[in-house]
Amino acid sequence: MSVTYELVKKCSKTGARAGRLHTPHGTFDTPIFMPVGTQATVKAMSPDELKDMGAGIILSNTYHLYLRPGHELVAEAGGLHKFMNWDRGILTDSGGFQVFSLGALRKITEEGVAFRSHIDGSKHFLSPEKATQVQMALGSDIIMAFDECVPFPAEHDYARESTERTTRWAERCRQTHTRADQALFGIVQGGMYKDLRSMSAKDLVSLDFPGYAVGGLSVGEPKPLMYEMLEHTVPLLPEKKPRYLMGVGTPDCLVEGVMHGIDMFDCVFPTRVARNGTVMTNWGRLVVKNAEYARDFRPLDDKCSCYACRNFSRAYIRHLFKTDEIFGLRLTTIHNLHFLLNFMREMRTAILEDRFLDFRQGFLAQYNR
Amino acid sequence: MSVTYELVKKCSKTGARAGRLHTPHGTFDTPIFMPVGTQATVKAMSPDELKDMGAGIILSNTYHLYLRPGHELVAEAGGLHKFMNWDRGILTDSGGFQVFSLGALRKITEEGVAFRSHIDGSKHFLSPEKATQVQMALGSDIIMAFDECVPFPAEHDYARESTERTTRWAERCRQTHTRADQALFGIVQGGMYKDLRSMSAKDLVSLDFPGYAVGGLSVGEPKPLMYEMLEHTVPLLPEKKPRYLMGVGTPDCLVEGVMHGIDMFDCVFPTRVARNGTVMTNWGRLVVKNAEYARDFRPLDDKCSCYACRNFSRAYIRHLFKTDEIFGLRLTTIHNLHFLLNFMREMRTAILEDRFLDFRQGFLAQYNR
């Protein structure tokens, strides 16, 4: 099997677990945060900067790459790894989330989703087969089944129908998928309904995917409801397979996700807020553009060892933001990704030393936003 | 003296010369190209990337830093080097060129220039004394006298009055300047009039500055006229002092400047066109956004050893530009600066090996734009 999960240590008090993910492009420690490189680039970053901070797997987007530059072109280039010069892991999502987000621009049928490009309005059609073929052309290490992310809120009837269709689509993806050097993960849906989560997990597990994502969370629901769904869903997934919580990347949600037994996360949050001048620290967020930092010559976070914090002051980075200089958002992006990757490493160490619950309590006590 | 020029080798057939510039922040080979970091950052670049490509001195702008973040703040930070984490050379211009470029927003008197900020319209006044004080606060290694760049075209009468005032202002700068760890350069003006260039050079040389710039060129005049002015002016400057041609940075002009005995250059050209998707090569310019490069998997320049050319294809960089990704303009900026710095090194080697004229002819024969 192209991607396998190795369980290294289980927390004695929670569902948290430390492991390793073996892929055709290297072995990566879990729990892991995957920086998002939507368009074959993690915004503002170079591959070397990502490596320097210890990034293992990045996520890229089938929807965007299908439209630009096109999956055939990426295949001609030798695949996504070569095209973007990234020799570590790549996970691509299926494009499902993006086409469903198009709202009035898309139409769902059993066959798939007809949609218009958000760029030029051109007509396209994504189906389980097509999404799988595109991802095979991209050559990512992990590809995702084409699913519908049940919106929040959703009626039980709609959520059930959607979730059942997602399972039928997952099977079609599996039948289409032929590349031995990449792994196809299934995505558990079910909205905020435990019975549907159970149904989805059971049906997908019977299809025996090499890994499972929990989808349809972090879509606007209250955080306690997300944690409740996680607590219910994760135990339904096989212990020997990796578990991926899609679209989650704030420190508090990462801690809770890890506690419930999640191994993999991705989110645009750290890079998106960075480009807006907001940085993450152990005590919460800091908006470096604020006037209070104009003459603050301390680093963003004096406990941080990232390139930005080792070399530049809040005052300088604020100046870069006030003058619209690109280097400013490069520095905040570096900081936020370094912060999150380091945060994951700290959680892993805590699990290995069987003190994860203490780590979580210590973190929550000082995290104020 | 804080900044001294060491003449290493003179070309036997032209005015070209190889030397070394000793500054409080290191010794740098000349002829040298200085990347422009207008607002205390070379746009899109990190200091480390600049060092990796062998950049020695960068240029920053008094006008911009005076307005944002303010020179007092930079002084509080420990000076410009520390503020922007650049421990090699820095040259600051005087702000003269920028305030004169404000057109209707400024008014010139003998005392100085009253102007309104291009950012918020606030009122300011720059004089020779003030421009010198601001640059002393910034702490750059080389500071420039506050001058008026004679516009092109200009009547002889206006050019003469302006040039005479520039000399009076240069003397006021010299009287204001007290920092022993930085050098104040005079700027030869005179428009496109040889008699005025002679007068300006003579007057400034009598003030005995540690270095001289040739200003007021590359302001819209035909290139042959610029070369004629250089040919006339440079021999009027002392051989033992460094010579700086302001605002010049295209390969053809650099070759001609070096041939006429110029040691230092700066220009926004390589970084500005890079952000627009245009790259410089030995055979001319390449517009990487063009459709013809969509499936071109070769590097920007297969003879180039920069980070961009070693790792990424034209097709990938084009994709980044088409999708407005910051990493695209990072790569083209790296390429263009690496190209120019390398070009300067090649010229220096040619001078040292007394084959500069051959180098120039070989370059001009293949440079088609």
Side-chain angles (χ1 to χ4, degrees):
Chain A
M1 201 175 289
S2 62
V3 172
T4 56
Y5 175 74
E6 177 190 350
L7 179 57
V8 174
K9 170 92 179 180
K10 287 166 68 173
C11 172
S12 65
K13 301 189 183 84
T14 74
R17 55 196 214 158
R20 284 192 200 96
L21 201 63
H22 302 281
T23 83
H25 287 87
T27 292
F28 309 107
D29 288 344
T30 60
I32 192 170
F33 177 79
M34 303 181 287
V36 176
T38 303
Q39 304 189 118
T41 170
V42 175
K43 286 189 191 303
M45 299 285 290
S46 76
D48 298 76
E49 286 163 345
L50 290 167
K51 285 185 182 181
D52 284 350
M53 62 178 68
I57 308 178
I58 62 170
L59 179 142
S60 201
N61 288 73
T62 291
Y63 168 78
H64 292 87
L65 296 178
Y66 161 79
L67 291 177
R68 294 188 304 197
H71 54 292
E72 296 98 340
L73 191 151
V74 174
E76 257 183 74
L80 188 53
H81 290 87
K82 195 169 171 203
F83 183 58
M84 65 182 293
N85 191 36
W86 176 254
D87 59 7
R88 296 189 181 175
I90 300 179
L91 180 149
T92 42
D93 74 358
S94 67
F97 185 79
Q98 280 75 29
V99 295
F100 285 105
S101 303
L102 291 171
L105 291 175
R106 50 85 177 157
K107 184 164 179 274
I108 310 169
T109 61
E110 181 66 23
E111 179 57 19
V113 183
F115 65 96
R116 286 181 179 273
S117 157
H118 72 287
I119 303 162
D120 61 7
S122 56
K123 285 184 178 179
H124 299 273
F125 191 78
L126 267 184
S127 62
E129 290 77 12
K130 179 79 182 186
T132 304
Q133 284 155 359
V134 170
Q135 292 181 90
M136 286 197 286
L138 296 175
S140 31
D141 301 279
I142 300 173
I143 75 172
M144 302 304 297
F146 189 69
D147 65 332
E148 182 188 2
C149 176
V150 177
F152 177 81
E155 296 295 321
H156 190 277
D157 276 358
Y158 182 87
R160 184 177 47 75
E161 283 168 32
S162 166
T163 300
E164 287 172 349
R165 185 172 53 223
T166 283
T167 298
R168 291 191 296 274
W169 283 1
E171 183 150 17
R172 285 164 57 187
C173 290
R174 214 187 56 150
Q175 281 163 6
T176 308
H177 186 238
T178 56
R179 275 188 78 147
D181 63 346
Q182 65 181 185
L184 168 66
F185 280 21
I187 305 177
V188 177
Q189 291 290 350
M192 302 302 159
Y193 301 102
K194 289 184 185 173
D195 61 324
L196 300 181
R197 290 279 168 186
S198 295
M199 174 188 77
S200 178
K202 178 167 167 282
D203 291 346
L204 289 170
V205 168
S206 75
L207 292 173
D208 194 26
F209 288 100
Y212 295 91
V214 181
L217 295 180
S218 196
V219 290
E221 78 282 11
K223 284 180 181 179
L225 184 52
M226 173 170 99
Y227 301 150
E228 200 183 321
M229 288 299 123
L230 274 182
E231 189 174 11
H232 174 80
T233 306
V234 177
L236 306 173
L237 300 174
E239 189 177 77
K240 293 181 179 176
K241 304 279 178 77
R243 304 153 177 175
Y244 163 30
L245 177 57
M246 306 181 86
V248 163
T250 58
D252 51 341
C253 293
L254 290 169
V255 173
E256 300 303 303
V258 168
M259 185 177 74
H260 287 106
I262 296 292
D263 307 302
M264 306 163 65
F265 302 86
D266 82 283
C267 194
V268 295
F269 174 78
T271 42
R272 181 170 289 168
V273 300
R275 294 195 305 281
N276 233 348
T278 297
V279 294
M280 304 160 83
T281 73
N282 277 301
W283 66 87
R285 297 180 199 168
L286 182 153
V287 182
V288 73
K289 279 199 289 192
N290 286 352
E292 65 187 293
Y293 304 118
R295 296 182 128 78
D296 189 335
F297 300 111
R298 293 174 296 173
L300 294 173
D301 181 343
D302 58 10
K303 290 192 177 59
C304 178
S305 64
C306 82
Y307 174 73
C309 288
R310 279 185 285 115
N311 293 294
F312 302 96
S313 66
R314 295 171 179 179
Y316 179 64
I317 297 171
R318 176 178 189 269
H319 163 68
L320 295 177
F321 270 93
K322 298 299 281 185
T323 53
D324 293 319
E325 286 286 356
I326 286 170
F327 191 45
L329 56 89
R330 284 184 59 186
L331 290 174
T332 52
T333 301
I334 286 173
H335 172 83
N336 278 359
L337 286 178
H338 180 280
F339 173 82
L340 271 199
L341 294 174
N342 196 52
F343 188 65
M344 302 308 287
R345 285 187 285 260
E346 285 179 359
M347 284 199 280
R348 189 172 197 272
T349 302
I351 295 166
L352 291 175
E353 297 172 355
D354 207 16
R355 53 174 179 77
F356 175 76
L357 213 50
D358 289 344
F359 175 90
R360 171 175 173 270
Q361 282 165 348
F363 164 77
L364 292 175
Q366 68 173 349
Y367 189 78
N368 58 23
R369 268 175 284 192
Chain B
M1 199 175 290
S2 62
V3 172
T4 57
Y5 175 73
E6 178 190 350
L7 179 57
V8 174
K9 169 92 177 179
K10 285 166 69 174
C11 174
S12 65
K13 301 189 183 86
T14 73
R17 55 196 215 156
R20 284 192 199 98
L21 201 63
H22 302 281
T23 82
H25 287 88
T27 292
F28 308 107
D29 288 344
T30 61
I32 192 171
F33 177 79
M34 304 181 287
V36 176
T38 304
Q39 302 188 119
T41 170
V42 175
K43 288 192 191 300
M45 299 285 289
S46 76
D48 298 76
E49 285 162 345
L50 290 168
K51 286 185 183 182
D52 284 350
M53 60 177 70
I57 308 180
I58 61 169
L59 179 143
S60 200
N61 288 72
T62 291
Y63 168 79
H64 292 88
L65 296 177
Y66 161 79
L67 291 176
R68 293 187 303 199
H71 54 292
E72 296 97 339
L73 190 151
V74 174
E76 257 183 72
L80 187 52
H81 289 87
K82 195 169 171 200
F83 183 57
M84 66 183 291
N85 190 38
W86 177 253
D87 58 8
R88 296 190 181 175
I90 300 178
L91 180 149
T92 43
D93 74 358
S94 67
F97 185 80
Q98 280 73 30
V99 294
F100 286 104
S101 305
L102 291 172
L105 289 175
R106 52 85 176 156
K107 184 163 178 275
I108 311 169
T109 61
E110 181 66 22
E111 179 58 21
V113 183
F115 65 97
R116 286 180 179 274
S117 157
H118 73 286
I119 304 161
D120 60 7
S122 55
K123 286 184 179 178
H124 300 273
F125 191 79
L126 267 186
S127 62
E129 290 77 13
K130 180 77 183 191
T132 305
Q133 285 156 1
V134 169
Q135 292 181 89
M136 287 196 287
L138 296 174
S140 30
D141 300 279
I142 300 174
I143 75 172
M144 302 305 295
F146 189 70
D147 67 331
E148 181 189 1
C149 177
V150 177
F152 177 82
E155 296 295 320
H156 190 277
D157 276 359
Y158 182 87
R160 183 177 50 74
E161 282 168 32
S162 166
T163 301
E164 288 173 349
R165 186 172 53 224
T166 283
T167 299
R168 291 192 296 275
W169 284 1
E171 181 149 19
R172 283 164 59 188
C173 290
R174 214 187 55 150
Q175 281 165 6
T176 307
H177 187 238
T178 56
R179 276 188 78 149
D181 63 346
Q182 65 182 184
L184 168 66
F185 280 21
I187 304 176
V188 177
Q189 291 290 350
M192 303 302 158
Y193 301 103
K194 289 184 186 174
D195 61 323
L196 300 182
R197 289 279 168 187
S198 295
M199 175 187 78
S200 178
K202 179 167 167 282
D203 292 346
L204 289 170
V205 168
S206 75
L207 291 173
D208 195 25
F209 287 101
Y212 295 91
V214 181
L217 295 180
S218 195
V219 291
E221 77 282 11
K223 284 181 182 178
L225 185 52
M226 174 170 97
Y227 302 150
E228 199 183 324
M229 288 299 122
L230 274 182
E231 190 174 11
H232 174 80
T233 306
V234 177
L236 305 172
L237 301 174
E239 190 178 76
K240 294 183 178 173
K241 304 281 178 72
R243 304 152 177 175
Y244 162 29
L245 177 56
M246 306 181 85
V248 163
T250 58
D252 51 340
C253 293
L254 290 168
V255 173
E256 300 303 302
V258 167
M259 184 178 73
H260 287 105
I262 295 292
D263 308 301
M264 307 163 65
F265 303 86
D266 82 282
C267 195
V268 296
F269 174 78
T271 42
R272 181 170 290 167
V273 300
R275 295 195 302 282
N276 232 347
T278 297
V279 294
M280 306 160 84
T281 74
N282 278 301
W283 65 87
R285 298 180 198 168
L286 183 153
V287 182
V288 73
K289 279 197 291 192
N290 286 352
E292 65 188 290
Y293 304 118
R295 297 181 128 79
D296 188 335
F297 300 111
R298 293 174 296 172
L300 294 174
D301 180 343
D302 58 11
K303 289 191 177 59
C304 178
S305 64
C306 83
Y307 174 73
C309 288
R310 278 185 284 114
N311 294 293
F312 303 96
S313 66
R314 295 171 181 180
Y316 179 64
I317 297 172
R318 176 177 189 269
H319 163 69
L320 296 176
F321 270 94
K322 298 300 281 184
T323 53
D324 293 321
E325 287 285 355
I326 286 170
F327 192 45
L329 56 89
R330 285 184 58 186
L331 290 173
T332 51
T333 301
I334 286 173
H335 173 82
N336 278 359
L337 286 178
H338 181 278
F339 173 82
L340 271 199
L341 295 174
N342 196 52
F343 188 64
M344 302 309 287
R345 286 187 285 259
E346 285 178 357
M347 284 199 279
R348 189 172 196 271
T349 303
I351 296 167
L352 291 176
E353 297 172 355
D354 207 16
R355 52 173 180 79
F356 176 75
L357 213 49
D358 290 344
F359 175 90
R360 173 175 171 270
Q361 283 166 347
F363 164 76
L364 291 176
Q366 70 173 348
Y367 190 77
N368 60 21
R369 268 174 282 191

